[in-house]
Amino acid sequence: MPASTTLARVMALALAVAPGAVWASQFDYSIFGSIEHSDNITLSDSNPISQNVFMPGFNFNYLQQGSVFQANVSGTFQDDYYLGHQFANQTQTELAGQANWTILPKRLDFTVEDYAGVEPVDSLASNAPNNRQQTNVVSLGPTLHLQFGDVMRAQVELHYLNSYASKVQDFNSSRGVAAFRLYRDLNPTDTISLNLESQRVRFDDNVTTDLVDGVDSTLATPNYTRDEAYARYTSTLAHFSADVLAGWSKIDFDHARGDSKPMARITLDWQFTPHQTLSTTGAYQFSDAAQDMFLQPGQSVVNILDENPTDFLYNPGGGISTGNLVIDSEVYLEKTLEATYTYHTERLQLSISPTYDKLSYLNNDTFDQSTRGGTVSADYRLRPSTVITAFANAERLTYTSLERTDKTYRYGVDLGHQWAPHWTWHVSYIRQVRNSNAIDQSYHENEVFFSVVFKR
């Protein structure tokens, strides 16, 4: 299901089920146009290609908080025109959306979530224009709410999920998810819950098996069932919040050996002074590429139009960047840890974010990997309408089975100026360098951007 089709259906649902409430909604947008010059558009080690790219696009955010219909949808549409005519022009979509229709107040809801993005076709190759594909994951279904007194409640969920990739077909799947959750409010700020979830995953491509030494050897990830049971504790205070989850997860594959492991997720946010915050997230869980595209429990859709100069530097013009997921059907054990320290004043914002990520695949260890890295970024307001932004990022990615290590460094600077109430221009420079022990996978690139943005 292409992302544009899914978005159209979400918006059509909003207009159909809440015609009276939609007029109270908020719709903001920006229109941008960027010119990029790259001296190595294919990120090649031996044959760099210089290229100019024109990138017009459209950002939007739709917010609705009515009694019948609630929605938060943020997205980007972008066209890439390669002026050297050495690559085919591309249209790309990025979308994160959540919508909820209250059918019976406090009793029955119907929810829709959709997440679209651009990911690599081959994650072992460089991010060249011909190594990108559109992905989309959508979830929809009813939620039944049950109330047991003033402090205890429950909900039953039945959802259908669909994952789609435009080029890697074995990513495409259909999933059914059933969940039962029992909540108890400990006090006005703290809640504990017990959760049972079961998910059945069926891939669109037929799974074939070969008999090797009397044992079925799968040529693709077989269909599977994943069952999880966990407890979750949430606390929301004025300057501190916590979301802690712990339990057990089990996966049963058709025609392949299953596995079971403990699972845990934690998110802590602490504002320990008026100018300083610290956020940490960690996870130990089974996952896959489709699941990683969804927001984790407790997260919400971020308005892409929010002012953040550093985000603009990562995506000059406010456009789309290619992700780094391995787009396939494989299930992996994920171990992640990330922290972000932020210091901000009226003129300065400084951010430091170290990260660690390790993926261990269950059925095929080809892409077993560990990533260590971090980012330092700073925004400084020279004048009320002028901001200079800089960042530096370092990453060490190791593929265990392939005995491959990539060391990637990326840094850049941006100058942005608002020259009219709705108009802003940006000039950006980004350099990235990769040193790899794999043949022909090292590269260096210099990029220069000029962008103009109209924001409503």
Side-chain angles (χ1 to χ4, degrees), residues 98-126:
Q98 298 173 335
N100 184 75
W101 175 29
T102 301
I103 301 173
L104 298 174
K106 299 182 180 180
R107 286 292 181 266
L108 183 62
D109 293 339
F110 189 89
T111 61
V112 177
E113 295 184 63
D114 188 72
Y115 305 95
V118 178
E119 300 289 343
V121 178
D122 181 0
S123 61
L124 297 177
S126 62

Short mmCIF file of all heavy atoms in Angstrom, two decimals, residues 98-126:
data_model
loop_
_atom_site.label_atom_id
_atom_site.label_comp_id
_atom_site.label_asym_id
_atom_site.label_seq_id
_atom_site.Cartn_x
_atom_site.Cartn_y
_atom_site.Cartn_z
N GLN A 98 -1.33 9.54 13.29
CA GLN A 98 -2.19 8.81 14.22
C GLN A 98 -3.57 9.46 14.18
O GLN A 98 -3.68 10.69 14.27
CB GLN A 98 -1.63 8.86 15.65
CG GLN A 98 -0.27 8.22 15.80
CD GLN A 98 0.32 8.42 17.19
OE1 GLN A 98 -0.01 9.38 17.89
NE2 GLN A 98 1.20 7.52 17.60
N ALA A 99 -4.61 8.64 14.05
CA ALA A 99 -5.98 9.15 14.02
C ALA A 99 -6.87 8.24 14.86
O ALA A 99 -6.68 7.01 14.87
CB ALA A 99 -6.51 9.23 12.59
N ASN A 100 -7.82 8.82 15.57
CA ASN A 100 -8.70 8.05 16.44
C ASN A 100 -10.13 8.57 16.31
O ASN A 100 -10.38 9.78 16.44
CB ASN A 100 -8.25 8.16 17.90
CG ASN A 100 -9.10 7.29 18.82
OD1 ASN A 100 -8.95 6.07 18.84
ND2 ASN A 100 -9.99 7.91 19.59
N TRP A 101 -11.04 7.66 16.03
CA TRP A 101 -12.47 7.97 15.93
C TRP A 101 -13.17 7.38 17.15
O TRP A 101 -13.16 6.17 17.37
CB TRP A 101 -13.03 7.40 14.64
CG TRP A 101 -14.52 7.55 14.49
CD1 TRP A 101 -15.32 8.53 15.01
CD2 TRP A 101 -15.39 6.69 13.75
NE1 TRP A 101 -16.62 8.34 14.65
CE2 TRP A 101 -16.70 7.22 13.87
CE3 TRP A 101 -15.18 5.54 12.99
CZ2 TRP A 101 -17.80 6.62 13.26
CZ3 TRP A 101 -16.27 4.94 12.38
CH2 TRP A 101 -17.56 5.48 12.52
N THR A 102 -13.78 8.22 17.98
CA THR A 102 -14.51 7.77 19.15
C THR A 102 -15.93 7.42 18.73
O THR A 102 -16.78 8.29 18.52
CB THR A 102 -14.53 8.86 20.24
OG1 THR A 102 -13.19 9.18 20.62
CG2 THR A 102 -15.30 8.38 21.47
N ILE A 103 -16.20 6.12 18.61
CA ILE A 103 -17.51 5.65 18.17
C ILE A 103 -18.51 5.72 19.32
O ILE A 103 -19.62 6.24 19.18
CB ILE A 103 -17.41 4.21 17.63
CG1 ILE A 103 -16.41 4.16 16.46
CG2 ILE A 103 -18.77 3.70 17.18
CD1 ILE A 103 -16.12 2.76 15.98
N LEU A 104 -18.10 5.20 20.49
CA LEU A 104 -18.89 5.29 21.71
C LEU A 104 -18.01 5.90 22.79
O LEU A 104 -16.98 5.32 23.12
CB LEU A 104 -19.38 3.90 22.16
CG LEU A 104 -20.32 3.16 21.19
CD1 LEU A 104 -20.59 1.75 21.71
CD2 LEU A 104 -21.64 3.93 21.03
N PRO A 105 -18.36 7.06 23.33
CA PRO A 105 -17.48 7.72 24.31
C PRO A 105 -17.14 6.80 25.48
O PRO A 105 -18.02 6.17 26.08
CB PRO A 105 -18.31 8.93 24.77
CG PRO A 105 -19.24 9.20 23.62
CD PRO A 105 -19.56 7.85 23.04
N LYS A 106 -15.84 6.70 25.77
CA LYS A 106 -15.30 5.90 26.87
C LYS A 106 -15.58 4.41 26.72
O LYS A 106 -15.41 3.64 27.66
CB LYS A 106 -15.82 6.38 28.22
CG LYS A 106 -15.44 7.82 28.55
CD LYS A 106 -15.95 8.22 29.93
CE LYS A 106 -15.57 9.65 30.26
NZ LYS A 106 -16.05 10.06 31.59
N ARG A 107 -16.01 3.99 25.52
CA ARG A 107 -16.32 2.57 25.32
C ARG A 107 -15.60 2.00 24.09
O ARG A 107 -14.94 0.97 24.18
CB ARG A 107 -17.84 2.37 25.17
CG ARG A 107 -18.61 2.50 26.46
CD ARG A 107 -18.29 1.35 27.41
NE ARG A 107 -19.05 1.46 28.65
CZ ARG A 107 -18.61 2.04 29.76
NH1 ARG A 107 -17.40 2.60 29.75
NH2 ARG A 107 -19.33 2.09 30.85
N LEU A 108 -15.73 2.65 22.93
CA LEU A 108 -15.23 2.05 21.69
C LEU A 108 -14.59 3.11 20.81
O LEU A 108 -15.20 4.13 20.49
CB LEU A 108 -16.37 1.36 20.93
CG LEU A 108 -15.98 0.61 19.66
CD1 LEU A 108 -15.03 -0.53 19.97
CD2 LEU A 108 -17.23 0.10 18.94
N ASP A 109 -13.34 2.85 20.42
CA ASP A 109 -12.59 3.71 19.51
C ASP A 109 -12.16 2.90 18.29
O ASP A 109 -12.03 1.67 18.35
CB ASP A 109 -11.34 4.29 20.17
CG ASP A 109 -11.66 5.27 21.28
OD1 ASP A 109 -12.79 5.80 21.28
OD2 ASP A 109 -10.79 5.50 22.14
N PHE A 110 -11.90 3.61 17.22
CA PHE A 110 -11.29 3.01 16.04
C PHE A 110 -10.06 3.85 15.69
O PHE A 110 -10.17 5.06 15.48
CB PHE A 110 -12.25 2.96 14.85
CG PHE A 110 -11.74 2.15 13.69
CD1 PHE A 110 -12.00 0.80 13.61
CD2 PHE A 110 -10.97 2.74 12.68
CE1 PHE A 110 -11.52 0.04 12.54
CE2 PHE A 110 -10.49 1.99 11.63
CZ PHE A 110 -10.77 0.63 11.56
N THR A 111 -8.90 3.21 15.64
CA THR A 111 -7.65 3.94 15.46
C THR A 111 -6.97 3.56 14.14
O THR A 111 -7.09 2.43 13.67
CB THR A 111 -6.67 3.69 16.61
OG1 THR A 111 -6.34 2.29 16.64
CG2 THR A 111 -7.28 4.08 17.94
N VAL A 112 -6.25 4.53 13.58
CA VAL A 112 -5.44 4.32 12.37
C VAL A 112 -4.08 4.95 12.63
O VAL A 112 -3.99 6.09 13.10
CB VAL A 112 -6.08 4.96 11.13
CG1 VAL A 112 -5.17 4.78 9.92
CG2 VAL A 112 -7.45 4.38 10.85
N GLU A 113 -3.01 4.21 12.35
CA GLU A 113 -1.65 4.74 12.40
C GLU A 113 -0.97 4.43 11.08
O GLU A 113 -1.14 3.35 10.53
CB GLU A 113 -0.84 4.13 13.55
CG GLU A 113 -1.35 4.47 14.93
CD GLU A 113 -0.44 3.90 16.02
OE1 GLU A 113 0.74 4.30 16.08
OE2 GLU A 113 -0.92 3.05 16.78
N ASP A 114 -0.18 5.39 10.60
CA ASP A 114 0.53 5.18 9.34
C ASP A 114 1.90 5.82 9.41
O ASP A 114 2.04 6.96 9.88
CB ASP A 114 -0.26 5.77 8.16
CG ASP A 114 0.37 5.38 6.84
OD1 ASP A 114 0.25 4.21 6.46
OD2 ASP A 114 1.00 6.24 6.20
N TYR A 115 2.92 5.08 8.95
CA TYR A 115 4.30 5.57 8.97
C TYR A 115 4.95 5.21 7.64
O TYR A 115 5.03 4.04 7.26
CB TYR A 115 5.09 4.95 10.13
CG TYR A 115 4.42 5.18 11.46
CD1 TYR A 115 3.56 4.22 12.01
CD2 TYR A 115 4.61 6.37 12.16
CE1 TYR A 115 2.92 4.45 13.22
CE2 TYR A 115 3.97 6.61 13.37
CZ TYR A 115 3.13 5.64 13.89
OH TYR A 115 2.50 5.87 15.09
N ALA A 116 5.38 6.25 6.92
CA ALA A 116 6.01 6.06 5.62
C ALA A 116 7.38 6.73 5.63
O ALA A 116 7.60 7.70 6.35
CB ALA A 116 5.15 6.67 4.51
N GLY A 117 8.28 6.20 4.84
CA GLY A 117 9.62 6.77 4.77
C GLY A 117 10.38 6.25 3.57
O GLY A 117 9.85 5.48 2.75
N VAL A 118 11.62 6.68 3.47
CA VAL A 118 12.51 6.25 2.40
C VAL A 118 13.67 5.50 3.03
O VAL A 118 14.34 6.02 3.94
CB VAL A 118 13.04 7.45 1.59
CG1 VAL A 118 14.01 7.00 0.51
CG2 VAL A 118 11.87 8.22 0.97
N GLU A 119 13.90 4.26 2.60
CA GLU A 119 14.92 3.39 3.16
C GLU A 119 15.79 2.83 2.03
O GLU A 119 15.38 2.81 0.87
CB GLU A 119 14.28 2.24 3.95
CG GLU A 119 13.42 2.66 5.11
CD GLU A 119 14.20 3.22 6.28
OE1 GLU A 119 15.44 3.00 6.33
OE2 GLU A 119 13.59 3.87 7.15
N PRO A 120 16.98 2.33 2.36
CA PRO A 120 17.84 1.76 1.31
C PRO A 120 17.30 0.44 0.78
O PRO A 120 16.65 -0.32 1.51
CB PRO A 120 19.18 1.57 2.03
CG PRO A 120 18.82 1.42 3.47
CD PRO A 120 17.64 2.32 3.68
N VAL A 121 17.57 0.17 -0.49
CA VAL A 121 17.28 -1.15 -1.04
C VAL A 121 18.32 -2.14 -0.56
O VAL A 121 17.98 -3.23 -0.09
CB VAL A 121 17.26 -1.09 -2.59
CG1 VAL A 121 16.99 -2.47 -3.17
CG2 VAL A 121 16.22 -0.09 -3.07
N ASP A 122 19.58 -1.77 -0.65
CA ASP A 122 20.70 -2.59 -0.18
C ASP A 122 21.43 -1.79 0.90
O ASP A 122 22.13 -0.82 0.59
CB ASP A 122 21.63 -2.93 -1.34
CG ASP A 122 22.82 -3.80 -0.91
OD1 ASP A 122 22.90 -4.14 0.29
OD2 ASP A 122 23.66 -4.11 -1.77
N SER A 123 21.29 -2.19 2.15
CA SER A 123 21.89 -1.43 3.25
C SER A 123 23.41 -1.56 3.27
O SER A 123 24.08 -0.78 3.96
CB SER A 123 21.32 -1.89 4.59
OG SER A 123 21.60 -3.26 4.81
N LEU A 124 23.98 -2.52 2.54
CA LEU A 124 25.43 -2.68 2.49
C LEU A 124 26.07 -1.76 1.45
O LEU A 124 27.29 -1.63 1.41
CB LEU A 124 25.80 -4.13 2.19
CG LEU A 124 25.38 -5.16 3.23
CD1 LEU A 124 25.75 -6.56 2.77
CD2 LEU A 124 26.01 -4.86 4.58
N ALA A 125 25.25 -1.15 0.60
CA ALA A 125 25.76 -0.26 -0.44
C ALA A 125 25.56 1.19 -0.01
O ALA A 125 24.84 1.49 0.95
CB ALA A 125 25.07 -0.53 -1.76
N SER A 126 26.18 2.11 -0.72
CA SER A 126 26.09 3.53 -0.38
C SER A 126 24.72 4.09 -0.71
O SER A 126 23.95 3.51 -1.49
CB SER A 126 27.17 4.30 -1.13
OG SER A 126 26.96 4.21 -2.53
#
